[in-house]
């Protein structure tokens, strides 16, 4: 089997030639790349999925507070809020879950970089929110916290990973190279692809949803205040989760991305290459050099020995 591909078009050609599903191919490819048996790969996927679930529960059950107070229990506050403009369980949970996991990261907890630590809340946040609200009765394993998980859950995470592989090869997953479109933007594309899959859409539609989501993050600056992965990162995870839901809802309505996924990745690379260095994770531009951003940086310097 061919395990090298650079684009969705190439991936699709392999899947059709081999008559294999994308998630199944993703596991086989990982086994080939690592030299490990498929059972080990599946077990490792489950282990990492469990890490995301534990981070989610930690962030929801215990308000996360960082040293400088930039992170201060937003997930718990959002979950307990009496008023919400949009009263939809999937929507509320997607935002809360994405916040919760990323707050755990901001406070030094254990997460899975999916694809990076700064964007770690988006993929698991959206997938777990869907799972906890929409998978009821599917397999009798709803709300399980420990592996082994329902195979559909592992499939969704595997498809998200394959989406990330294409972005990594065609552009980048590093904010220092491509700005935040490469981190939160990429995570949004990965999550949209996975969520569309869970909704039962065909692969072409899944990648159209990914394209819709990624298009809406193109050009996003990486300007973390004081160089900490907190502002704007934590709340941006929730914003991109909302982006993902919009992309999948549009796709469910039959609305397609005019620009194919591979071309959006190409555009992302061009935009990333033309971003100034000051907004590529150097904390030398944008929000990082606002008066408040500078005050936070000075406060951090006073704390350091
Ligand atoms: S703003 Fe920069 S550090 Fe924060 S999540 Fe985005 S890419 Fe990562």
């Amino acid at each position: 089997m061919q395990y090298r591909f650079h684009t969705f078009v190439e991936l699709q050609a392999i899947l059709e030639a081999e008559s294999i599903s994308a998630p199944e191919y993703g596991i086989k490819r990982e086994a080939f790349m690592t030299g490990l048996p498929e059972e080990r790969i599946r077990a490792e996927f489950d282990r990492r999925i469990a890490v995301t679930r534990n981070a989610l529960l930690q962030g929801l059950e215990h308000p996360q507070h960082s040293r400088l107070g930039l992170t201060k229990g937003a997930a718990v506050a959002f979950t307990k809020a009496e008023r919400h403009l949009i009263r939809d369980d999937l929507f509320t949970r997607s935002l809360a879950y994405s916040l919760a996991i990323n707050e755990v990261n901001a406070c030094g907890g254990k997460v899975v970089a999916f694809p990076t630590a700064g964007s770690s809340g988006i993929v698991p946040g959206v997938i777990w929110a869907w799972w906890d609200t929409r998978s009821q009765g599917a397999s009798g394993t709803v709300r399980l916290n420990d592996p082994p998980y329902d195979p559909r859950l592992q499939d969704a995470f595997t498809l998200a990973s394959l989406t990330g592989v294409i972005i990594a090869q065609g552009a980048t997953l590093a904010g220092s190279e491509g700005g935040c479109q490469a981190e939160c933007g990429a995570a949004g594309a990965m999550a949209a692809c996975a969520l569309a899959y869970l909704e039962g859409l065909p692969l072409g539609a899944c990648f159209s949803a990914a394209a819709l989501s990624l298009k809406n993050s193109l050009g996003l600056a990486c300007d973390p205040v004081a160089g900490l992965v907190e502002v704007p990162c934590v709340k941006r995870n929730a914003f991109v989760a909302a982006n993902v839901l919009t992309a999948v809802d549009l796709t469910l309505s039959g609305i397609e991305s005019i620009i194919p996924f591979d071309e959006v990745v190409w555009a992302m690379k061009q935009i990333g290459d033309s971003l100034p260095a000051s907004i590529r994770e150097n904390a030398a531009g944008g929000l990082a050099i606002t008066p408040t951003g500078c005050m936070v940086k000075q406060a951090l310097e006073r704390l350091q020995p």
Side-chain angles (χ1 to χ4, degrees):
M1 189 167 339
Q2 172 62 260
Y3 288 111
R4 301 206 182 279
F5 61 91
H6 297 90
T7 61
F8 169 59
V9 168
E10 289 178 13
L11 171 65
Q12 205 173 26
I14 296 171
L15 300 178
E16 282 174 12
E18 301 289 342
S19 298
I20 188 172
S21 74
E24 199 184 338
Y25 172 77
I27 296 291
K28 287 187 181 301
R29 178 180 180 276
E30 198 65 20
F32 173 79
M33 304 292 265
T34 59
L36 295 171
E38 285 180 36
E39 311 79 66
R40 282 275 303 281
I41 299 298
R42 288 193 183 280
E44 178 59 19
F45 258 76
D46 264 359
R47 189 189 69 78
R48 294 186 193 197
I49 294 171
V51 171
T52 70
R53 186 68 176 183
N54 289 335
L56 164 61
L57 296 177
Q58 188 181 341
L60 282 182
E61 289 167 8
H62 308 285
Q64 301 291 300
H65 289 269
S66 63
R67 211 160 49 133
L68 278 179
L70 300 180
T71 298
K72 42 188 177 185
V76 173
F78 185 71
T79 306
K80 289 189 173 167
E82 289 179 4
R83 289 184 64 186
H84 281 294
L85 183 63
I86 301 173
R87 296 168 188 273
D88 174 82
D89 203 16
L90 175 62
F91 183 84
T92 306
R93 282 181 194 252
S94 293
L95 270 57
Y97 286 14
S98 300
L99 280 173
I101 296 170
N102 210 248
E103 283 191 311
V104 168
N105 173 68
C107 295
K110 190 172 177 182
V111 299
V112 175
F114 214 134
T116 64
S119 60
S120 57
I122 298 163
V123 175
V126 170
I127 291 179
W128 280 120
W130 186 93
W131 196 258
D132 287 348
T133 56
R134 301 290 169 91
S135 69
Q136 209 108 28
S139 65
T141 58
V142 178
R143 291 194 174 85
L144 261 185
N145 293 338
D146 301 314
Y149 294 114
D150 185 298
R152 279 192 312 152
L153 197 51
Q154 193 178 80
D155 285 353
F157 277 100
T158 308
L159 188 55
S161 302
L162 279 176
T163 313
V165 168
I166 295 172
I167 298 172
Q169 295 188 131
T172 175
L173 295 173
S176 57
E177 280 184 8
C180 199
Q181 59 172 1
E183 296 201 10
C184 287
M190 294 160 71
C193 199
L195 194 60
Y197 167 83
L198 285 169
E199 282 288 329
L201 292 174
L203 197 63
C206 294
F207 275 87
S208 181
L212 287 173
S213 183
L214 185 55
K215 280 194 303 188
N216 206 35
S217 293
L218 292 181
L220 206 52
C222 172
D223 49 359
V225 167
L228 301 169
V229 188
E230 295 190 70
V231 177
C233 322
V234 171
K235 296 183 189 83
R236 183 166 290 165
N237 275 249
F239 278 106
V240 174
N243 204 36
V244 169
L245 298 182
T246 306
V248 176
D249 225 8
L250 290 175
T251 306
L252 284 167
S253 312
I255 298 167
E256 297 175 342
S257 174
I258 299 294
I259 309 294
F261 179 73
D262 290 335
E263 293 181 31
V264 177
V265 174
W266 182 87
M268 177 186 165
K269 165 85 171 132
Q270 308 311 310
I271 293 168
D273 287 349
S274 56
L275 285 178
S278 60
I279 52 170
R280 283 193 277 122
E281 213 171 286
N282 291 315
L287 297 172
I289 58 167
T290 57
T292 302
C294 292
M295 276 167 41
V296 171
K297 188 178 176 206
Q298 286 162 7
L300 178 66
E301 286 167 352
R302 282 196 294 275
L303 280 177
Q304 286 168 342

